């Protein structure tokens, strides 16, 4: 299991699990009752079973060639508000490559064991204009 010992490590751990297409490792970075916004304009999903479903859909797109980075981190009282920048290439519904990028907002909390997990994840929430572009094959 990947563990974030500092709040800003969440993005590096997420990227490692995501690009390895390891749903269990990605899910381990979320609190049991976490909330996630799976896509722009999508309704929030809550809890591990619902988040696992959202992650499975993303991993089915075969994400690759990307990065997740921490842009800012404000920590206080066992919580931290993070802003991320992310981008990757994936397969669209017809198999054509897509380029996805955006800025996310994440709220993470320190667990009693000392590691950090996401309690709220909006990968689309840090930007007014998330981008999804078709790529030329």
């Amino acid at each position: 299991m990947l563990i974030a010992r500092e709040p800003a490590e969440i993005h590096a751990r997420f990227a490692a699990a995501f690009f390895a297409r390891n749903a269990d490792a990605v899910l381990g970075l979320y609190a049991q009752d976490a909330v996630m916004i799976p896509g722009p304009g999508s309704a929030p999903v809550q809890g591990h079973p619902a988040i696992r479903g959202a992650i499975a859909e993303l991993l089915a797109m075969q994400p690759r060639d990307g990065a997740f980075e921490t842009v800012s981190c404000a920590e206080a009282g066992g919580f931290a508000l993070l802003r991320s920048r992310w981008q990757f290439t994936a397969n669209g519904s017809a198999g054509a490559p897509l380029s996805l990028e955006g800025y996310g907002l994440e709220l993470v909390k320190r667990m009693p064991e000392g590691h950090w997990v996401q309690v709220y994840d909006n990968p689309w929430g840090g930007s007014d204009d998330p981008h999804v572009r078709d790529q030329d094959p």
Side-chain angles (χ1 to χ4, degrees), residues 62-107:
Q62 300 179 348
R64 60 196 175 277
D65 304 327
F68 290 77
E69 65 178 303
T70 302
V71 175
S72 66
C73 176
E75 180 185 343
F79 289 90
L81 182 61
L82 306 174
R83 185 165 181 259
S84 60
R85 181 185 182 299
W86 56 269
Q87 60 83 25
F88 60 91
T89 300
N91 293 339
S93 59
L98 291 175
S99 177
L100 294 96
E101 60 184 66
Y103 288 87
L105 290 175
E106 299 86 20
L107 179 64

Side-chain angles (χ1 to χ4, degrees), residues 36-57:
M36 176 191 203
I37 310 295
S42 297
V45 297
Q46 184 170 15
H48 270 196
I51 292 171
R52 179 183 292 282
I55 290 167
E57 287 182 24

